Amino acid sequence: DNLLDEDEYIRFVNRLSSNQFAGSTFDSLPGNIQANYQKFATAERGQVDVFGAKPGQTADANQDQFIDDFCCETDLAASNPGAPAEPTPTPPPDTGGNEPTPAE
């Protein structure tokens, strides 16, 4: 099929990382590598659509860009295991609901 599941993703990550995660389960991968998969997985199937990645397949421009992004970002995640998946935004300070009211 044209969908990459978690087990196939582990094999892909291992090819990119010289088998650094051989014997790993998806749940034991570093968080940034798991988050990368989840970022690209489809909501309805939970797998990554890789149509266009196999010889003889022709993807449209959007799918071609998707495959490029998926491959590049997976390589980056595999090269930096344990790195934060995305920058974590700093939450606004908690004022406890006692914000001053502007003077009228």
Side-chain angles (χ1 to χ4, degrees):
D1 65 8
N2 294 310
L3 297 172
L4 190 79
D5 66 22
E6 291 177 351
D7 291 333
E8 293 165 325
Y9 177 70
I10 293 169
R11 286 194 295 272
F12 180 54
V13 168
N14 275 317
R15 285 185 183 141
L16 295 172
S17 68
S18 300
N19 291 317
Q20 184 174 350
F21 304 99
S24 296
T25 63
F26 182 81
D27 292 334
S28 69
L29 292 173
N32 66 316
I33 297 175
Q34 290 181 41
N36 181 70
Y37 177 84
Q38 292 159 350
K39 174 182 175 180
F40 289 97
T42 61
E44 64 275 359
R45 306 265 325 253
Q47 298 173 323
V48 179
D49 180 0
V50 292
F51 178 80
K54 296 177 187 174
Q57 294 180 335
T58 304
D60 64 22
N62 287 338
Q63 181 65 13
D64 191 48
Q65 184 62 55
F66 177 85
I67 294 292
D68 285 349
D69 292 345
F70 174 67
C71 291
C72 289
E73 292 186 36
T74 302
D75 185 42
L76 180 64
S79 298
N80 299 288
E86 304 226 352
T88 307
T90 305
D94 182 13
T95 60
N98 297 324
E99 297 180 39
T101 349
E104 296 184 23

